[in-house]
Amino acid sequence: MNRLQHLKIKDQLFILISFIMAISLILMLSGVQYAFHMYDQQIYRKSSQVLMMSSKSIEDELKKIEDVSYQIATDQNIQTNLLKAGHDQNKYGRYRIKREIWDQLAEYTGSKRYIKSIHLVDAFGTEYSAGANSSEALKRQISGLTKQAARRKGGNVWVTKPGANGELLSAREIRSYKQLNFNHLGIVLIVADLKGIVADLPKDWGEGAGKVAMSEGRHTFFSDSPLQKIDPPRLTSRDQNGYTIVKNNGRRFFMSYVTSPYENWTYWSLIPFDAMFSKISAMKAILISLFILFFLTAVLFGRKIARGLTSPIEKLVTAMKHVQNGDFKTQPLLKPPPERHDEVSVLNRTFITMVERINELIAENYEKQLMIKETEFKALQAQINPHFLYNTLESINWLAKRNGQPKISKMTESLGFLLRIAVNMKTDVLTIEEEADIVLHYFTIQQFRFEERLVFEVDVDPLVKSCLVPKLILQPLAENAITYCLEPVIEPCRIAIKAFAKDGFVYLTVKDNGPGMDENFLEQANDGLVQTRGKGIGLQNIDERIKLMFGEDYGLNISSEKSKGTKITIKIPFRSGV
């Protein structure tokens, strides 16, 4: 049992199917053998019944012939003529008596179908006969037949007709019943056509089957079969009828037999076993052959089905081993056809999908790691000795104040503030108030550059000052406003930045009075297809950062009309950072 558990699934399935088919074969053969055995018994019984009916038919005809023998022995005319024959008669008288007896015998001969001839021998040895048979053979046996008939004292005795097969001889003593003296008058012999009687029996077993034979003791006196050399069965007093199998010249024969209460005879029939059971034997052979063929076919198909079931599993195991060793390629796997929806195919496809997803996640993680490394490298570059930069700006600021240059001092302070915010990696979010300070420092620097051409306004509602927003979202919008509004024209540029609460949300707006956008450009800008000039942070990046922090319901929206300016609105939830 343990060895079976360690076998492959396909081998276990193959052994299981073979075991089931073998058990089925044994049960089928046992059932078929039992069914045919019962059928054989029915055939045997039927054969015995047919033989019994045949023997009764034969004996009925023989009894009719026996009745004719009795009628002849008791016929008044025959009795009278036989009595006259015992007295001295002239030649004419003897002829007349013989003619009358012949005529009487001729009438009796034609009265029954199976009477071949009738012979009458008087007490003086004179024979009278009617029929087609010669009486030469009887003359040699007349003395013995007379003695046999005399022992029956007027009763009938059946004996085999000497020298002939297929004929049976009825012998009866004729005794005078005149004055009841029962004197011996002669003997009447009737030759019965036994072969004709048997030939006219119904043939229930078909051609060449059911050949009838008759025996007395161990002596067979009639057979319509060429197998006369087969000895009749040895019967005991208890064997009234039955059947058996005998062999002759290497051939088997089915023999059924019936003993007769009418005479000390045994009726038996021989049927060639092969002729009788050829169809049954052929059917047995066909059934066994078909089942063996079915067994082999089932085993072959079972092997194929087992291989079809386990082949995807084996491939899956191979692929799992590759994955276990760190190889996430799916080349060792063959995807099952899409029309197959069995459990193994679904498992195979699910595993392939899982490996492909793992590959995608590994690739994504690898790219993210590269980006993180690159970002860390850039951050490292940005943080190279920031104190040196701060100290330098402080030195410039001190020199500007010492030399009476307030503008340079103011620009240096604003630049230092922006630099500290930009290189600070400790936080990614700021309050709106801190974002507003960054924008103010940025506008301070730009105002020294553009002077009266730049007019700006920053208005933050005190209610929303503590609300958190992603770091550096307003400064890029202010930079875009200067780039697209102030630089292309020479007129003063007005930029207004406001932050206020409305309907439970916080809105941050950046509005300018620039040339605005046409519909196509505005559509591209809202779709995130427009990038800021230079290396600044794009609008799409700002929108994605807001959605990442607050959800998809929030973000950035652009509204603009040609020659009427542009307005950028940021919507965030009202959440205080205090």
Side-chain angles (χ1 to χ4, degrees), residues 140 157 188 204 266 296 318 349 360 380 437 477 510 560 569:
R140 295 190 294 269
V157 59
V188 60
D204 289 347
T266 299
L296 295 176
T318 302
R349 281 193 288 267
E360 292 176 0
L380 182 61
D437 289 339
L477 298 180
V510 178
S560 179
T569 303

Side-chain angles (χ1 to χ4, degrees), residues 64-65 67-73 78 101-112 114-121 127-135 138 161 168-172 174 187-193:
K64 294 177 182 178
I65 295 174
D67 291 340
V68 172
S69 172
Y70 176 77
Q71 292 173 10
I72 293 173
I78 293 177
I101 293 176
W102 282 345
D103 290 342
Q104 289 290 330
L105 295 178
E107 290 180 7
Y108 283 114
T109 302
S111 65
K112 298 300 176 183
Y114 299 109
I115 297 177
K116 298 183 72 175
S117 62
I118 301 176
H119 305 268
L120 191 152
V121 180
E127 181 184 356
Y128 310 88
S129 63
N133 281 33
S134 172
S135 61
L138 293 176
K161 188 173 181 295
L168 197 61
L169 189 63
S170 170
R172 185 188 296 270
I174 301 176
I187 183 173
V188 60
L189 304 173
I190 300 178
V191 179
D193 185 10

Side-chain angles (χ1 to χ4, degrees), residues 312-355:
I313 297 177
E314 291 176 352
K315 293 178 181 178
L316 187 61
V317 171
T318 302
M320 287 181 175
K321 290 181 179 179
H322 282 278
V323 173
Q324 182 180 2
N325 295 329
D327 184 5
F328 289 89
K329 297 180 180 179
T330 58
Q331 284 79 1
L333 288 174
L334 293 177
K335 283 189 177 182
E339 63 271 9
R340 291 191 59 177
H341 298 286
D342 55 273
E343 292 82 351
V344 177
S345 299
V346 172
L347 179 63
N348 208 330
R349 281 193 288 267
T350 302
F351 180 76
I352 293 174
T353 303
M354 181 188 72
V355 173

Side-chain angles (χ1 to χ4, degrees), residues 27-47:
L27 293 177
M28 189 278 295
L29 291 178
S30 301
V32 170
Q33 186 64 30
Y34 177 77
F36 280 122
H37 174 72
M38 298 301 296
Y39 183 67
D40 293 346
Q41 295 295 324
Q42 293 295 328
I43 292 177
Y44 298 156
R45 295 188 183 96
K46 180 66 175 178
S47 176

Side-chain angles (χ1 to χ4, degrees), residues 127-153:
E127 181 184 356
Y128 310 88
S129 63
N133 281 33
S134 172
S135 61
E136 293 298 326
L138 293 176
K139 290 179 179 179
R140 295 190 294 269
Q141 302 293 331
I142 194 65
S143 176
L145 293 174
T146 301
K147 292 179 180 179
Q148 291 185 45
R151 285 195 293 267
R152 298 296 293 270
K153 297 180 180 181

Side-chain angles (χ1 to χ4, degrees), residues 278-341:
S278 58
K279 293 183 179 179
I280 297 176
S281 300
M283 184 58 66
K284 287 182 181 178
I286 290 173
L287 286 176
I288 293 174
S289 300
L290 287 177
F291 195 87
I292 291 175
L293 179 62
F294 176 73
F295 173 76
L296 295 176
T297 303
V299 168
L300 292 176
F301 274 96
R303 185 81 175 181
K304 185 176 182 180
I305 292 172
R307 187 180 296 111
L309 290 174
T310 59
S311 179
I313 297 177
E314 291 176 352
K315 293 178 181 178
L316 187 61
V317 171
T318 302
M320 287 181 175
K321 290 181 179 179
H322 282 278
V323 173
Q324 182 180 2
N325 295 329
D327 184 5
F328 289 89
K329 297 180 180 179
T330 58
Q331 284 79 1
L333 288 174
L334 293 177
K335 283 189 177 182
E339 63 271 9
R340 291 191 59 177
H341 298 286

